[in-house]
Amino acid sequence: EKGGHDYFMLKEIEEQPEALRNTLRGHFARGGVVLDELRLAEQDLRDIDKVFVVACGTAYHSGLLAKYAIEHWCRIPVEVELASEFRYRDPVLGRDTLVVAISQSGETADTLEAVRHARTQHARVLAICNTNGAQIPRESDAVLYTHAGPEIGVAATKTFLAQIAANYLVGLALAQARGTKYSDEVAREFDELAAMPEAVRDTLSTVEQVRELGTEMATSKAVLFLGRHVGYPVALEGALKLKELAYMHAEGFAAGELKHGPIALIEQDLPVVVVMPSPTGRAQLHAKMVSNIREIQARGARTIVIAERGDEEVRPFADELITIPAVPTLLQPLVSTVPLQVMAAEIARARGYDVDKPRNLAKSVTVE
Ligand code: M6R
């Protein structure tokens, strides 16, 4: 049942191309993105002037990525908020606010309460959910299902990638309705998304390398993760996976924040995982990250670098280099997350922990 794997999580990591494909299936027709099940009229989408994304844990990290895509494509301000904080701070909501509640299980208590609060304020609520008929979609105005299939491991893997894809579909649908993108641009963005299952499959070729690396890292006391732009939520996700599975101190930082404090944590042999932007995407970001890596390497850190294949500039500063395929900037998280998932699982396995059922955690968190 684990498909010949030691634990479900590895099987689910390998199912990610399929999860993405199934989530995207049927959403491009008649020359545009179609979200028929959305139950929100085209006019409603056109009137949206503010988006809030509410979610917890890994789903929240997918929400952080939604902000980059939706603001860029739609020119609508997006705020991303932990569901457990949202309703306690009196957010400004109204009829033209779209609240996107992301939840794999559709049962997370904090996210459900955020949905209820948003509805009392007359906002329109869209659920992104992996579980048919769960409570959150039932109480929302609209739902977009991810089709990742059931996820057994407590750690979210394939549902995370599927959530990113669903968020981007919402972004494209909004851009289309509001006219901030021409239809040929929407078609191109969709094509790029549709090519991602193959890119994720390609990334799975790193699994063996990362499993070995994970075994080596099992004795480390802590691991830091650095990213910029869309690499930042990936760094947060890498750190969350490691805490959750390997019970290890792990923190994700925006690389630009290093010199505002975290660089003081760097000591000899501390593993620091760096998610590199593409050298051809946003050259400025790439150059800044290279200089961040040099700084931490000079202070003795062990640099573990996730970089695009062919990124020769970063190679001299990578104590361990994990390469991923070249993909458009906004889509890179779909591939750069994969090695981080494997790393966390393998460190946990090497430390003798139950990868699929980490201590103190439940798959769906139905208490606040
Ligand atoms: O079912 P949900 O997506 O609402 O769950 C949210 C979080 O509890 C969940 O993503 C959690 O952080 C994962 N176990 C992380 O791997």
PDB file of all heavy atoms in Angstrom, residues 79 117 171 181 230 319 339:
ATOM      1  N   GLU A  79      -3.809  40.169   1.008  1.00  0.00           N
ATOM      2  CA  GLU A  79      -3.213  39.959   2.330  1.00  0.00           C
ATOM      3  C   GLU A  79      -3.325  38.493   2.680  1.00  0.00           C
ATOM      4  O   GLU A  79      -4.359  37.878   2.433  1.00  0.00           O
ATOM      5  CB  GLU A  79      -3.951  40.776   3.395  1.00  0.00           C
ATOM      6  CG  GLU A  79      -3.464  42.197   3.457  1.00  0.00           C
ATOM      7  CD  GLU A  79      -4.057  42.926   4.647  1.00  0.00           C
ATOM      8  OE1 GLU A  79      -3.973  42.415   5.790  1.00  0.00           O
ATOM      9  OE2 GLU A  79      -4.629  43.996   4.418  1.00  0.00           O
ATOM     10  N   HIS A 117     -16.392  34.146  10.157  1.00  0.00           N
ATOM     11  CA  HIS A 117     -16.254  35.573  10.433  1.00  0.00           C
ATOM     12  C   HIS A 117     -16.384  36.368   9.136  1.00  0.00           C
ATOM     13  O   HIS A 117     -17.101  37.376   9.079  1.00  0.00           O
ATOM     14  CB  HIS A 117     -14.906  35.861  11.101  1.00  0.00           C
ATOM     15  CG  HIS A 117     -14.707  37.314  11.367  1.00  0.00           C
ATOM     16  ND1 HIS A 117     -15.344  37.964  12.393  1.00  0.00           N
ATOM     17  CD2 HIS A 117     -13.992  38.265  10.705  1.00  0.00           C
ATOM     18  CE1 HIS A 117     -15.023  39.241  12.366  1.00  0.00           C
ATOM     19  NE2 HIS A 117     -14.201  39.452  11.351  1.00  0.00           N
ATOM     20  N   GLY A 171      -5.987  33.078  -9.513  1.00  0.00           N
ATOM     21  CA  GLY A 171      -5.333  34.306  -9.984  1.00  0.00           C
ATOM     22  C   GLY A 171      -5.592  34.534 -11.459  1.00  0.00           C
ATOM     23  O   GLY A 171      -5.923  35.655 -11.879  1.00  0.00           O
ATOM     24  N   LYS A 181      -5.122  40.821 -17.862  1.00  0.00           N
ATOM     25  CA  LYS A 181      -4.283  40.017 -18.756  1.00  0.00           C
ATOM     26  C   LYS A 181      -5.070  39.738 -20.024  1.00  0.00           C
ATOM     27  O   LYS A 181      -6.273  39.488 -19.968  1.00  0.00           O
ATOM     28  CB  LYS A 181      -3.933  38.683 -18.076  1.00  0.00           C
ATOM     29  CG  LYS A 181      -2.669  38.770 -17.294  1.00  0.00           C
ATOM     30  CD  LYS A 181      -2.049  37.401 -17.052  1.00  0.00           C
ATOM     31  CE  LYS A 181      -0.676  37.536 -16.451  1.00  0.00           C
ATOM     32  NZ  LYS A 181       0.285  38.247 -17.292  1.00  0.00           N
ATOM     33  N   VAL A 230       9.574  34.296  -4.258  1.00  0.00           N
ATOM     34  CA  VAL A 230       8.794  33.073  -4.038  1.00  0.00           C
ATOM     35  C   VAL A 230       9.600  31.969  -3.346  1.00  0.00           C
ATOM     36  O   VAL A 230       9.037  30.975  -2.883  1.00  0.00           O
ATOM     37  CB  VAL A 230       8.177  32.513  -5.343  1.00  0.00           C
ATOM     38  CG1 VAL A 230       7.077  33.437  -5.853  1.00  0.00           C
ATOM     39  CG2 VAL A 230       9.237  32.287  -6.423  1.00  0.00           C
ATOM     40  N   ASP A 319      28.301  23.759  -0.885  1.00  0.00           N
ATOM     41  CA  ASP A 319      28.964  22.562  -0.371  1.00  0.00           C
ATOM     42  C   ASP A 319      28.225  21.325  -0.860  1.00  0.00           C
ATOM     43  O   ASP A 319      28.808  20.279  -1.069  1.00  0.00           O
ATOM     44  CB  ASP A 319      29.010  22.611   1.165  1.00  0.00           C
ATOM     45  CG  ASP A 319      29.870  23.769   1.640  1.00  0.00           C
ATOM     46  OD1 ASP A 319      30.916  24.026   0.998  1.00  0.00           O
ATOM     47  OD2 ASP A 319      29.486  24.451   2.608  1.00  0.00           O
ATOM     48  N   PRO A 339      12.762  18.698  -3.061  1.00  0.00           N
ATOM     49  CA  PRO A 339      13.902  18.192  -2.279  1.00  0.00           C
ATOM     50  C   PRO A 339      13.775  18.493  -0.780  1.00  0.00           C
ATOM     51  O   PRO A 339      14.269  17.714   0.044  1.00  0.00           O
ATOM     52  CB  PRO A 339      15.111  18.920  -2.879  1.00  0.00           C
ATOM     53  CG  PRO A 339      14.637  19.710  -4.027  1.00  0.00           C
ATOM     54  CD  PRO A 339      13.167  19.606  -4.144  1.00  0.00           C
TER      55      PRO A 339
END
